Amino acid sequence: MQTTPQTIPAHLPRLAARYDLSSEDLGDLAERCAARVQRLADLWAHADTPPSQVMRTLRRTAKRHGIYMPHKEGAAECINRMCDSAWWRRALRKRFRAVELHAIQTGAVHRRASPYVSAKALRRHELNASRLAAQMDGLEAINQTTGEAVPMTELIEASLANPANRRAALMARIKGIEASALAKGHVGLFLTITCPSRMHARHAKSGAANEAYDGTYPGKAHAYLGHVWGRATRRAAHLGLIGYGLRVVEPHHDACPHWHLLVFTPADQADAYAANLRAYALADSPDEAGAQERRFTVERIDPAKGSAVGYVAKYVSKSIDGEGVEGDTESDSDGRSAARRQVAWARTWGIRQFQFFGVPPITPTRELYRVSAKGLPGKALPELHQACKANDYAAWLAAVEAHGLRLGVDYTERDSTRYRGEVTKAISGLTVEGGDLAQPLSLTTRCDTWRIEPRSKVQPPPSEPAGAAGVFSPWTRFNNSAPIDAKGLFPRNARRAKSEEGEERNETAVRGSVLHRAPLPGAGRGDWESARPAA
């Protein structure tokens, strides 16, 4: 059964068409929006407009464009961001979720069409990745102390932005957690939680439309699973149940998410932990067909048959780059193709794919790695440092627990280079307490300051003197001269300028504020989120 246009909310196709912009058009719109807010900001500064009135106008502007306001309370901070075209580009990209929801509801996303994400969303993701790669290729990081210049591509290759490094780091941490759990006599559980049937647009095997689908979009389904998990873990804490491990989020073929949980717990608490989570997973629609069998599943990990690392390796790899995954049953494709689609799905909906719980944060581990062992006081801290350098996360956890060490991250404040009048925080070091330390110890882990600049390129010596052929290189990076006859060369820009002129006539300054036109019906922030097929 195919979803018919009559079952789609009336405003969703219109919003999808309006928001489905090319990268160039989205950039142009971001520039215009930022310039318009800058003009308003100049009026507000001249007229000393009250902050409350400024915020009301900014909220109307955001609603008219279907975006979220900056996550800031102060009017000055909001103005700074809404005058920045880069901020607008990020905000406007989130509108693609309405385009993708329309694709889901019209049957363009499922195993028989385009699994996990629509073909358009996948293409957009890959074009954006190519654009970013080209941009990084033209940049370099300059050390402000030594003057050392390192191409950004080299830094990315050596960082966790490299999928191979990210996968290896995740697997090393999982291996360490498992070794630590086995040393304590704890057992491993592999749990899977899925959403109720009403949140699935398509049936699992056939790909046919699900008559019970209520229009829930993947981000909302993910939030639902987070709510289930939050309530279950709070109840587990009240019951004194211990659980720690890793959460992996994956999409079904129709883009609806489900969670895989690798949980370690004391052997005598395993049944109670699983039963508690099962109760919350089945609290919603427990009597629908297949709920008891498929909504929540539990597998006990038997170390004699395989490790916990082996259980999650496929899911971790399939969510990063597909390395070592032969095939994907959900999408009927190979591992690398499935990984490309899953990454595009996560980026489109802003879903965090991996999250550890019940274990110390990883940032102190990475920061201590930067420190030299020379001069570290006591015995506990050198032991911790040795485990860090050996990439032995199990030894790290054992040392932290055995010595009662507490590690915190220190930050330093500096003036923002992007937003005037604001300060930003950057990691500067670690604070270590406990163990055999007589008093808290501060360790500086980052001494150098880096600046990102366009990559300098050494030009080969010219074969003839500059200007010999009557052509001179511009003294800036751009040729500031217009063509001799530019009239008619940019018809689209001319139409845009005319459109802007018409829009500007609707902006009337009153005591430093502006009376905007009424927003288009259904174009406000979050209107598409409540989109659901008619009964």
Side-chain angles (χ1 to χ4, degrees):
M1 173 182 174
Q2 294 292 326
T3 303
T4 61
Q6 287 74 22
T7 64
I8 303 299
H11 68 283
L12 185 58
R14 181 176 56 81
L15 288 184
R18 177 187 174 191
Y19 294 163
D20 190 12
L21 302 177
S22 67
S23 178
E24 180 185 6
D25 289 339
L26 186 140
D28 291 343
L29 178 59
E31 294 284 351
R32 297 201 309 273
C33 291
R36 183 174 303 164
V37 175
Q38 182 62 63
R39 291 195 298 270
L40 298 180
D42 294 340
L43 290 173
W44 292 329
H46 179 73
D48 196 19
T49 306
S52 60
Q53 194 169 353
V54 169
M55 291 299 290
R56 282 197 301 269
T57 303
L58 291 179
R59 281 192 288 269
R60 286 198 298 267
T61 301
K63 184 176 182 179
R64 186 170 75 248
H65 289 284
I67 65 168
Y68 290 92
M69 282 282 291
H71 296 295
K72 300 292 181 181
E73 295 182 359
E77 294 176 328
C78 290
I79 291 173
N80 281 342
R81 280 150 186 80
M82 295 184 73
C83 288
D84 181 12
S85 60
W87 181 90
W88 274 97
R89 281 194 295 272
R90 291 191 296 271
L92 292 171
R93 285 193 192 105
K94 294 181 181 179
R95 306 193 310 181
F96 288 139
R97 296 172 188 175
V99 181
E100 188 68 1
L101 176 60
H102 184 247
I104 291 172
Q105 294 195 0
T106 53
V109 182
H110 60 87
R111 66 166 68 244
R112 306 298 181 193
S114 178
Y116 304 146
V117 291
S118 65
K120 183 177 291 185
L122 178 63
R123 184 166 59 253
R124 183 185 297 118
H125 166 75
E126 294 183 338
L127 287 174
N128 190 50
S130 299
R131 179 185 61 81
L132 288 176
Q135 184 178 2
M136 292 299 104
D137 190 52
L139 299 175
E140 61 184 1
I142 308 295
N143 190 313
Q144 299 291 87
T145 304
T146 65
E148 177 188 10
V150 183
M152 286 297 295
T153 51
E154 292 185 13
L155 295 177
I156 292 172
E157 187 68 20
S159 72
L160 292 180
N162 182 338
N165 294 345
R166 186 184 183 203
R167 174 168 35 79
L170 282 169
M171 298 309 296
R173 194 175 181 193
I174 296 167
K175 182 180 179 181
I177 293 173
E178 180 184 26
S180 175
L182 293 177
K184 298 176 183 177
H186 293 181
V187 298
L189 302 175
F190 189 71
L191 314 174
T192 301
I193 311 176
T194 60
C195 294
S197 175
R198 70 174 186 278
M199 299 184 184
H200 293 265
R202 297 274 153 174
H203 289 295
K205 294 183 179 180
S206 65
N210 176 20
E211 295 81 0
Y213 177 54
D214 64 357
T216 300
Y217 58 97
K220 188 174 182 179
H222 177 63
Y224 163 81
L225 293 174
H227 182 63
V228 170
W229 173 248
R231 294 177 61 197
T233 51
R234 283 194 297 271
R235 178 61 177 167
H238 287 310
L239 296 174
L241 303 178
I242 298 173
Y244 54 95
L246 170 70
R247 181 215 71 188
V248 182
V249 184
E250 279 195 320
H252 286 291
H253 70 103
D254 62 352
C256 182
H258 60 283
W259 284 17
H260 296 298
L261 297 158
L262 175 61
V263 180
F264 294 98
T265 185
D268 59 348
Q269 296 183 7
D271 292 338
Y273 195 95
N276 173 65
L277 188 54
R278 179 183 180 86
Y280 283 96
L282 290 169
D284 188 324
S285 310
D287 298 325
E288 67 180 12
Q292 298 296 325
E293 297 80 14
R294 295 189 292 271
R295 184 82 64 77
F296 179 80
T297 60
V298 182
E299 292 183 64
R300 270 184 185 269
I301 298 176
D302 185 355
K305 296 181 179 179
S307 68
V309 175
Y311 267 81
V312 299
K314 181 181 81 169
Y315 300 101
V316 169
S317 180
K318 197 170 66 170
S319 298
I320 297 179
D321 58 2
E323 179 68 26
V325 180
E326 294 182 358
D328 176 34
T329 57
E330 190 76 18
S331 63
D332 301 324
S333 62
D334 62 275
R336 292 193 178 276
S337 296
R340 287 172 46 238
R341 290 181 170 274
Q342 286 202 17
V343 172
W345 170 83
R347 299 293 187 274
T348 298
W349 294 105
I351 291 176
R352 182 176 178 177
Q353 293 173 283
F354 309 102
Q355 185 172 18
F356 288 89
F357 57 91
V359 294
I362 196 63
T363 302
T365 312
R366 294 171 179 163
E367 290 304 308
L368 188 59
Y369 187 91
R370 298 170 173 267
V371 178
S372 171
K374 185 179 180 180
L376 291 179
K379 294 183 178 180
L381 189 55
E383 181 181 340
L384 195 65
H385 183 267
Q386 183 179 359
C388 181
K389 284 293 186 179
N391 200 24
D392 189 343
Y393 194 66
W396 165 278
L397 293 174
V400 168
E401 186 172 346
H403 298 291
L405 292 170
R406 299 182 300 277
L407 292 91
V409 180
D410 279 342
Y411 294 88
T412 183
E413 292 187 349
R414 60 189 180 192
D415 292 337
S416 173
T417 58
R418 177 180 289 271
Y419 299 123
R420 181 180 56 187
E422 297 188 29
V423 295
T424 59
K425 290 184 177 181
I427 296 177
S428 61
L430 286 172
T431 300
V432 187
E433 300 180 65
D436 53 2
L437 297 175
Q439 58 185 2
L441 176 67
S442 293
L443 297 174
T444 300
T445 60
R446 306 193 184 199
C447 302
D448 296 335
T449 302
W450 295 78
R451 184 180 70 252
I452 298 177
E453 294 183 352
R455 190 173 181 180
S456 58
K457 296 182 179 180
V458 179
Q459 299 292 341
S463 57
E464 56 184 358
V471 179
F472 292 83
S473 300
W475 65 273
T476 64
R477 287 180 295 163
F478 305 97
N479 191 333
N480 298 319
S481 301
I484 296 176
D485 184 10
K487 186 177 181 180
L489 294 180
F490 307 101
R492 188 179 66 172
N493 291 344
R495 289 195 300 270
R496 182 182 301 125
K498 185 176 181 180
S499 175
E500 284 189 358
E501 182 182 355
E503 291 176 350
E504 289 176 2
R505 284 198 296 267
N506 289 279
E507 298 178 357
T508 305
V510 178
R511 292 173 58 87
S513 182
V514 171
L515 302 178
H516 292 293
R517 291 171 294 170
L520 294 173
R525 183 189 73 182
D527 286 352
W528 63 270
E529 296 178 354
S530 60
R532 55 184 298 172

